[in-house]
Amino acid sequence: MSNHDILHQTGTRIIELDIEGMTCASCVARVERKLGKLDGVEASVNLPLESAQVKVPDNVTDQQIVDTVNATGYKAWIRESRPSPSIAHAHDRETDMLETGTGHLGEHSEPEHDHSDSDHNEWLHDHSGDAGGMRQRASKVGPRRQGSLAELARLGGRWGGTTEHAEHAARGAAAGDHGDHGAGGGAQVDHGASDRAGDHGAHEDHMHHGPASRQLKPRLIAAAILTVPVFAISMIPALQFPQWGWVAAALALPVVTWAAWPFHRAAAINARHFASTMDTLVSIGVLAAYLYSAWQLVANPMMTEHPGMESMGGVSGGLYFEVAAVVTTFLLLGRYLEANAKAKAGDALKALLNLGAKDATVLRDGVEHKIPAEQLVAGDIFVIRPGEKIATDGVVTGGESAVDASLITGESMPVEVGPGSQVTGATINTSGRLLVRATRVGSDTTLAQMGRLVSQAQTGKAPIARLADRISAVFVPVVLVIAVVTFVFWLALTGDLNASFTAAVAVLVIACPCALGLATPVGLLTGTGRGAQLGILIKGPQVLEDTRTVDAILLDKTGTVTSGKLAVGHTLALNGHSPADVLSLAGAVEAASEHPIAHAVAAAAKSAMPDAGLLPAVKDFSSAPGGGVRGMVALNGAGNGARRTVVAGRTGWLEDNGIFPDDAQRRALATEEAGGATAIWVAVDGEPAGIVSLRDTVKPGSAAAIAKLKELGIRPLLLTGDNAAVAAQVAAAVGISPEDVFAGVLPEGKVDAVRKLQAQGSTVAMAGDGVNDAAALAQADLGIAMGSGTDVAIEASDLTVMGSDLGQLVQAIELSRKTLTTIKTNLFWAFFYNAIGIPVAALGLLNPMIAGAAMAASSVLVVANSLRLRSFAK
């Protein structure tokens, strides 16, 4: 069922859970299966984010959902409740976490809920639709405060694994109760008290999960220090001494108990719920190796009386202390490296969410006041000086400057802004002083919406991940059976208890559902995070699949291929006037008008002046909407008071002013318009003096981008509501074939064009930026919104390019495809590793220590492969 279907069912809502203690894909599968047994409940669980999105009907309470997860052997609490449109005015629910431990499963005490009504944050909800649907956003009503953006920034810590969280945890509980990857809970603290005291530490801590590298490090160091001598005296006869076995047992004991405690604790908690995970395999393997060795040593105390006794084949006879210690150390090293790598995978989104300004200078009663940016409310006027970040989204009310929006759009060129210009929070004012009126704050801002879109995409699952989920659901029980069968088979075949035991332990240790569980979400996490840095928002995992299959793309002309802004193409002079004079006189009189055509003519005239000098002065100016302008223009270099009457505009405007072009002049105008130009008359002192032609300019880089699309195997087609002449000219300029042009298309016709291509068997992408593109964006197999466009276009799309350059569209497709390729590579190696490793171990060809190293390496390599996406460049 699509998200669109879910959100538009009556009586349903979407809630988001944070879940502690999941360590592998088996955990994910079990949580989804348990929640799925509740009537009408559907869940999508994400392993590296340790979160879930759950569709819940009205007859199931939030507490039932939390209790179900807790009863499964994990600890859950509600992070954010996202109501469906029918209940869009419900208040946000925030839940305080009761434990400071990260990644622990503790006693299943009930979470403490804090229903806060003081902060009516307005969360916008992305209602993703299928090919026939429209995405919409429903919002809550109430005063908006930027505090919700701060919460989103703290949410970024989920992806980042910051050390501050580890330090906070360490202060709140004994060291022995933390760092347990998938193991049970730590000391419980009253976070509500710290919140009431104004300390946000509890909120920050409850956003971080999984074993922080700082917490795993002490266990890893201790294990490594003790394992080295155990390995040396067990494997090198020259280092052995009388009764060395007892020394090895004593040195290995802290390793397999305290250092390996995260594995044992998680395995025990899962066993209480008649479940098994990767931790079960590790715990059984390590304990079996140690306890078997201890039993052998107790049963035969003299077996290590003399150096070299019972040492054969590279393994110390019936003693496996070094196996238990080395496997534990390798696995802790793998978890440590994995924690670091996963933290890096989320750095991009965390950095994005932390871009926002910390302070704002508000102008009240003419006096400047510096306040925290989170205290801004819509309607505040705030001051931005050169070099400062813009505190929130707004509209410029005073001043002119250039704004560097590269942090948001990915485009390096600063944008000129002035009164009436829209500006985006977190962008940087580069030159002049600006006064800005806040229009969107808190969760409404562009930055907050970007963070939310990316986090929602990272929580989803690609279709290719479902196979891994199905396999993981039965993976651990199957491996346990294989280990038992291996032991019985070798014992029956050879009668060698030691060889049989070695093979069985190797099977337990090498099996790695972790790699399967991490393959998809870590790749998605890194790819979407890198996309956010580049101004590319991928709305969900399904989008990755769509970019792979797309073979045709419809490009809306205005605003996508072209700038959507008119510019003077050329000037045709009549009746003895020069083109320069015609443009200068037209620019002078048009400079007093606010019409877009007037702006284009005035800009061209000014740029044509020597040293970009001033245009001639105008008096007695008048204009007519949709008609044109008229004024008295002073002649440069003429005597005092020398002026000419200039009229510029449509044919009807000239006739209203008593000016009637002859047939030849009218044909000249018609020729210009037939060539795709917008043409206006310029008359001087009562007679036509020339024709100024304006055209929509093709964006720099559009031609190169379209050539790149062709290289990617995607057929570009041009779609426009303009006439055929204009469309043909633009198509020729950017390299689109004449037969691939749809001209004179109305908004509903754009949908028909998409359907026509789909009926021909094409997988169609659509790129646009306007309200009239929204329906076609939703209809397309892959909708791509250019970020300079309207909110409704962005909401109807699957991919959003925050910049306006068509080259970014190509980049978005390339990044999506590369992310998909990375995920598939991860899955291949995860499957391949287990498919090869388990049989080799079962055949007795693998030392358990090597198996442990390989198992630890498999997860690290999957994450490391995903991290290569961080280097994806423009």
Side-chain angles (χ1 to χ4, degrees):
M1 179 179 294
S2 71
N3 287 343
H4 178 270
D5 296 330
I6 290 172
L7 285 169
H8 288 81
Q9 287 184 27
T10 56
T12 63
R13 65 192 184 281
I14 296 292
I15 64 173
E16 296 186 4
L17 296 178
D18 288 325
I19 303 175
E20 278 189 348
M22 298 187 297
T23 59
C24 65
S26 298
C27 307
V28 171
R30 188 163 70 258
V31 172
E32 288 183 340
R33 186 170 62 251
K34 291 290 186 181
L35 287 173
K37 289 181 179 179
L38 297 176
D39 188 31
V41 173
E42 296 179 18
S44 176
V45 180
N46 184 289
L47 177 60
L49 297 184
E50 295 197 65
S51 66
Q53 283 192 347
V54 189
K55 185 209 78 172
V56 184
D58 280 348
N59 63 335
V60 176
T61 66
D62 292 354
Q63 192 59 47
Q64 283 179 274
I65 298 296
V66 171
D67 290 344
T68 299
V69 177
N70 289 347
T72 307
Y74 307 98
K75 186 166 185 63
W77 63 94
I78 295 170
R79 166 154 49 92
E80 173 192 335
S81 181
R82 295 198 295 129
S84 61
S86 62
I87 53 172
H89 295 282
H91 293 305
D92 286 336
R93 171 176 293 184
E94 295 179 357
T95 308
D96 287 337
M97 172 178 155
L98 295 179
E99 294 184 340
T100 58
T102 56
H104 311 320
L105 288 167
E107 300 303 321
H108 300 299
S109 55
E110 298 299 326
E112 194 174 316
H113 298 284
D114 174 21
H115 302 274
S116 175
D117 293 333
S118 62
D119 213 11
H120 302 261
N121 293 328
E122 184 164 12
W123 292 90
L124 300 182
H125 311 305
D126 174 31
H127 298 174
S128 300
D130 53 18
M134 289 287 292
R135 284 83 164 173
Q136 302 175 0
R137 287 186 186 244
S139 61
K140 298 177 187 176
V141 175
R144 307 173 183 214
R145 302 194 66 84
Q146 188 117 351
S148 55
L149 178 57
E151 289 300 319
L152 273 173
R154 285 191 285 272
L155 177 58
R158 305 175 44 75
W159 296 271
T162 58
T163 57
E164 289 90 303
H165 295 123
E167 292 166 355
H168 183 84
R171 289 194 300 270
D177 288 333
H178 297 285
D180 302 353
H181 186 94
Q188 299 188 357
V189 298
D190 183 3
H191 281 236
S194 63
D195 282 343
R196 290 187 292 273
D199 180 7
H200 296 286
H203 287 292
E204 293 179 6
D205 187 69
H206 99 284
M207 288 301 183
H208 174 60
H209 312 287
S213 57
R214 284 176 61 96
Q215 298 166 322
L216 288 170
K217 193 173 181 179
R219 297 178 189 273
L220 173 60
I221 292 174
I225 291 173
L226 294 172
T227 296
V228 170
V230 172
F231 180 82
I233 62 177
S234 299
M235 302 295 289
I236 304 173
L239 298 179
Q240 293 173 355
F241 47 84
Q243 301 300 339
W244 62 266
W246 295 97
V247 174
L251 291 174
L253 183 61
V255 178
V256 299
T257 54
W258 180 76
W261 182 243
F263 308 114
H264 303 322
R265 191 169 194 176
I269 289 172
N270 285 305
R272 275 170 34 198
H273 298 277
F274 304 101
S276 56
T277 67
M278 185 209 71
D279 296 289
T280 306
L281 302 179
V282 173
S283 181
I284 291 176
V286 169
L287 289 177
Y290 187 88
L291 293 175
Y292 176 79
S293 303
W295 172 72
Q296 289 278 69
L297 193 60
V298 171
N300 186 9
M302 304 301 293
M303 68 184 302
T304 57
E305 175 65 26
H306 301 292
M309 286 185 64
E310 298 301 327
S311 181
M312 57 185 180
V315 177
S316 53
L319 300 185
Y320 294 89
F321 294 122
E322 78 284 359
V323 170
V326 170
V327 167
T328 298
T329 302
F330 274 141
L331 294 183
L332 283 172
L333 176 63
R335 289 279 174 90
Y336 175 77
L337 296 175
E338 180 186 320
N340 278 334
K342 286 199 292 185
K344 291 179 181 177
D347 281 349
L349 181 60
K350 183 186 172 189
L352 170 73
L353 293 174
N354 284 325
L355 286 178
K358 302 299 184 289
D359 300 306
T361 303
V362 180
L363 196 62
R364 290 174 180 162
D365 299 324
V367 179
E368 295 183 4
H369 301 274
K370 179 163 275 192
I371 63 171
E374 63 186 26
Q375 294 181 11
L376 280 173
V377 295
D380 275 346
I381 302 294
F382 58 97
V383 180
I384 305 295
R385 292 181 174 82
E388 292 182 345
K389 283 186 179 180
I390 296 175
T392 192
D393 295 0
V395 60
V396 176
T397 60
E400 293 184 349
S401 181
V403 172
D404 180 359
S406 59
L407 295 174
I408 301 294
T409 67
E411 294 183 348
S412 58
M413 288 297 294
V415 179
E416 297 293 331
V417 298
S421 299
Q422 299 285 338
V423 291
T424 304
T427 56
I428 299 173
N429 180 24
T430 63
S431 51
R433 178 178 182 270
L434 294 175
L435 293 179
V436 177
R437 176 171 50 82
T439 56
R440 296 197 290 186
V441 298
S443 60
D444 258 354
T445 63
T446 300
L447 183 65
Q449 291 180 34
M450 287 175 66
R452 189 156 48 252
L453 286 172
V454 175
S455 67
Q456 288 169 0
Q458 291 172 345
T459 306
K461 287 194 177 182
I464 56 175
R466 296 296 177 182
L467 176 61
D469 286 349
R470 288 194 294 270
I471 292 175
S472 298
V474 297
F475 185 90
V476 174
V478 168
V479 170
L480 289 171
V481 170
I482 292 175
V484 172
V485 170
T486 298
F487 178 80
V488 172
F489 172 80
W490 280 106
L491 190 61
L493 185 68
T494 66
D496 188 338
L497 180 63
N498 290 333
S500 304
F501 183 78
T502 300
V505 170
V507 169
L508 290 174
V509 172
I510 198 170
C512 187
C514 247
L516 288 173
L518 292 170
T520 297
V522 173
L524 188 62
L525 176 68
T526 313
T528 53
R530 180 57 180 156
Q533 285 184 319
L534 298 174
I536 298 165
L537 303 184
I538 303 169
K539 285 198 175 178
Q542 179 61 47
V543 175
L544 304 178
E545 295 277 5
D546 293 338
T547 59
R548 179 181 62 85
T549 59
V550 161
D551 55 19
I553 183 167
L554 282 165
L555 303 170
D556 180 60
K557 180 186 76 69
T558 305
T560 303
V561 177
T562 66
S563 66
K565 298 177 180 178
L566 290 174
V568 172
H570 72 279
T571 304
L572 175 66
L574 304 172
N575 294 328
H577 293 273
S578 70
D581 286 344
V582 171
L583 183 59
S584 176
L585 291 169
V589 73
E590 293 281 21
S593 173
E594 293 298 323
H595 194 280
I597 290 178
H599 286 172
V601 174
K606 186 173 183 179
S607 64
M609 298 287 290
D611 299 323
L614 296 176
L615 293 170
V618 178
K619 65 182 296 187
D620 299 333
F621 173 82
S622 64
S623 65
V629 295
R630 174 190 174 104
M632 299 292 291
V633 181
L635 297 181
N636 292 331
N640 280 339
R643 295 182 181 276
R644 285 191 168 182
T645 302
V646 179
V647 178
R650 308 276 184 190
T651 302
W653 175 245
L654 261 65
E655 292 174 348
D656 290 344
N657 284 274
I659 304 169
F660 299 91
D662 60 30
D663 290 343
Q665 293 166 345
R666 290 176 186 269
R667 284 195 297 272
L669 182 77
T671 300
E672 293 294 328
E673 291 179 335
T678 297
I680 63 167
W681 293 104
V682 180
V684 178
D685 293 337
E687 68 174 12
I691 299 170
V692 178
S693 296
L694 302 97
R695 299 178 185 274
D696 188 2
T697 55
V698 174
K699 289 181 180 178
S702 287
I706 286 171
K708 185 67 176 177
L709 285 171
K710 292 178 180 178
E711 291 178 15
L712 294 173
I714 300 174
R715 172 190 171 197
L717 302 98
L718 190 66
L719 193 63
T720 179
D722 287 342
N723 61 54
V726 173
Q729 183 192 39
V730 172
V734 298
I736 294 178
S737 302
E739 61 270 20
D740 289 335
V741 176
F742 293 83
V745 179
L746 298 175
E748 57 270 23
K750 294 182 179 182
V751 177
D752 293 337
V754 173
R755 288 175 177 163
K756 178 181 177 182
L757 289 170
Q758 289 171 331
Q760 294 171 358
S762 295
T763 303
V764 183
M766 167 73 188
D769 72 335
V771 173
N772 61 356
D773 299 321
L777 288 170
Q779 175 63 40
D781 299 292
L782 177 68
I784 305 173
M786 306 302 286
S788 59
T790 61
D791 286 345
V792 67
I794 293 173
E795 288 313 308
S797 66
D798 303 297
L799 268 175
T800 298
V801 177
M802 297 303 292
S804 58
D805 183 7
L806 194 58
Q808 279 188 296
L809 181 151
V810 178
Q811 190 181 40
I813 293 175
E814 288 180 317
L815 175 61
S816 297
R817 288 184 172 184
K818 189 168 183 179
T819 301
L820 181 66
T821 300
T822 299
I823 290 172
K824 287 187 172 182
T825 303
N826 288 346
L827 285 171
F828 169 78
W829 285 113
F831 282 123
F832 180 80
Y833 163 84
N834 284 291
I836 297 299
I838 293 174
V840 169
L843 291 173
L845 303 176
L846 199 60
N847 186 298
M849 290 184 289
I850 298 175
M855 187 270 209
S858 65
S859 294
V860 175
L861 289 175
V862 163
V863 178
N865 183 50
S866 299
L867 288 180
R868 293 188 304 117
L869 288 169
R870 298 174 74 204
S871 63
F872 181 87
K874 295 183 179 183

